[in-house]
Amino acid sequence: MGLHTSGMPESHVQDQCVRLLLQKLGAILFSYDLRTDTMTFRLARGDQEPRCIEEFRRTMNSERRGMVHPDFLEQMIAFFSGQNTEEDSFLLDMGKPPTGKYSWYKFVVERERDESDHLIFVHGIMWRTDRLNDAAKAGGRFRSELDSVTGVANENGLLKEADRCLAGEGRDDVNALVLIRLERYEELEKRMGKHGAETLLVRLCNAIGSKFRSGDVLAHLGGGIFAVFVRDVTSKPLLELNVKGIGEIFRPSNVEYGKYGIKCSAALAYSPEDGRRCRELLAAVREKPSLL
């Protein structure tokens, strides 16, 4: 398909080029009204109805929490509130409903202010890139360091980030590695199907991640096995109490997850006594008894 430019104003040709480019990118147009806390999305191509999310900040922290990867939730809310102007790439699941598969989206925005210089609107476009280079400056991970199911770090990503801390700013601190195993995950896959089990795994990943700080490194090692590298442990008893709290996610009384009948184990290893590198901590924690 070509552009017929004869006799057309240059501005009209540019508008057509921009429109075609946005359609080719599969871009999403969005507008966020800070006064009403309302976010509106619309595909640049097609005639689909816009998606509107009212009470955007509250919704992102509750029922639509799975739309944004947990490592980026606070950053993205700050981005739309004008408090964060550095990061412009986020891991999102734009499925309706969310499918549990995260992809990288790049954002370009224009911010609108009122006469008192208060931010009132954020307009812009976003498009899927699946390239991690854009987020590297913000601590993003390369594709080989990401788990394809949950979007968090895989074992390579865990080793890299943990070893960077252990050899650098955290070398004189007490750090820890938590290993969480979902028992008989293969049976869950047979019972729910691969897609159903993976969707549940993403939700469980979010629930487990919520038990730790945003600066800790959450990883999925595959097969329903999670690891969390906990930086700068100031109180071992408090950390151990926190790890024991993971068991609450899987109790039969838990409204969201108890019905699945999943059991798990959780163990802890510490640096430096159990190892000074992440691979040593992984080997040690696999031999530790469960705290659950």
Side-chain angles (χ1 to χ4, degrees), residues 107-131:
F107 286 72
V108 175
V109 301
E110 181 179 61
R111 294 178 169 88
E112 183 179 334
R113 299 179 179 273
D114 63 15
E115 295 177 352
S116 302
D117 202 34
H118 296 137
L119 186 63
I120 56 173
F121 277 105
V122 178
H123 310 285
I125 61 172
M126 54 187 278
W127 68 94
R128 181 175 171 177
T129 63
D130 282 338
R131 289 167 47 216

Side-chain angles (χ1 to χ4, degrees), residues 35-286:
R35 299 168 301 180
T36 61
D37 193 23
T38 302
M39 173 68 77
T40 304
F41 298 100
R42 180 174 64 83
L43 283 174
R45 62 186 177 203
D47 300 319
Q48 293 93 336
E49 288 294 318
R51 290 172 60 184
C52 182
I53 303 176
E54 297 179 347
E55 296 184 296
F56 176 69
R57 288 191 294 271
R58 182 193 64 79
T59 303
M60 286 296 100
N61 279 294
S62 54
E63 59 261 33
R64 287 182 182 263
R65 190 177 181 90
M67 180 179 170
V68 185
H69 190 280
D71 284 356
F72 292 89
L73 181 59
E74 292 181 5
Q75 294 178 22
M76 184 172 177
I77 291 175
F79 177 80
F80 283 113
S81 301
Q83 301 166 12
N84 169 14
T85 58
E86 295 181 0
E87 287 83 5
D88 59 4
S89 295
F90 303 98
L91 270 176
L92 305 179
D93 177 358
M94 293 300 292
K96 185 181 179 183
T99 62
K101 300 288 186 179
Y102 291 99
S103 299
W104 284 94
Y105 283 82
K106 177 90 170 180
F107 286 72
V108 175
V109 301
E110 181 179 61
R111 294 178 169 88
E112 183 179 334
R113 299 179 179 273
D114 63 15
E115 295 177 352
S116 302
D117 202 34
H118 296 137
L119 186 63
I120 56 173
F121 277 105
V122 178
H123 310 285
I125 61 172
M126 54 187 278
W127 68 94
R128 181 175 171 177
T129 63
D130 282 338
R131 289 167 47 216
L132 305 186
N133 293 354
D134 294 335
K137 65 180 182 298
R141 307 180 183 102
F142 290 98
R143 179 178 294 279
S144 61
E145 297 162 8
L146 284 173
D147 175 55
S148 60
V149 174
T150 62
V152 299
N154 59 16
E155 185 167 337
N156 288 336
L158 173 70
L159 292 172
K160 181 177 179 179
E161 293 207 26
D163 282 343
R164 183 188 294 127
C165 174
L166 291 168
E169 74 276 8
R171 62 182 176 274
D172 296 324
D173 300 330
V174 175
N175 303 285
L177 188 71
V178 185
L179 191 71
I180 302 129
R181 295 177 184 266
L182 307 187
E183 296 180 6
R184 298 189 291 275
Y185 177 72
E186 297 79 7
E187 295 180 12
L188 190 68
E189 279 190 323
K190 291 178 182 177
R191 179 156 46 97
M192 300 184 65
K194 184 175 177 62
H195 177 72
E198 288 184 349
T199 300
L200 177 59
L201 197 66
V202 171
R203 291 166 55 203
L204 288 169
C205 180
N206 292 341
I208 291 169
S210 69
K211 298 287 185 182
F212 297 91
R213 301 167 300 185
S214 59
D216 298 331
V217 183
L218 172 64
H220 179 229
L221 308 185
I225 302 174
F226 294 94
V228 185
F229 178 72
V230 183
R231 308 171 191 264
D232 190 17
V233 178
T234 56
S235 170
K236 289 184 179 180
L238 280 179
L239 175 59
E240 289 165 13
L241 188 63
N242 193 41
V243 171
K244 290 176 182 178
I246 294 171
E248 297 173 3
I249 299 171
F250 302 94
R251 286 179 182 167
S253 57
N254 185 294
V255 175
E256 192 168 0
Y257 302 109
K259 60 187 176 183
Y260 297 105
I262 304 170
K263 294 183 178 180
C264 81
S265 62
L268 258 172
Y270 290 101
S271 172
E273 57 259 45
D274 292 315
R276 292 188 174 274
R277 296 184 62 83
C278 188
R279 199 174 290 281
E280 295 172 354
L281 292 176
L282 269 175
V285 76
R286 288 185 171 115

Side-chain angles (χ1 to χ4, degrees), residues 14-43:
Q14 290 176 345
D15 289 344
Q16 276 197 316
C17 290
V18 171
R19 177 174 55 81
L20 290 172
L21 177 60
L22 293 178
Q23 290 177 352
K24 183 67 175 176
L25 288 172
I28 298 172
L29 311 180
F30 63 86
S31 179
Y32 177 50
D33 187 338
L34 278 81
R35 299 168 301 180
T36 61
D37 193 23
T38 302
M39 173 68 77
T40 304
F41 298 100
R42 180 174 64 83
L43 283 174

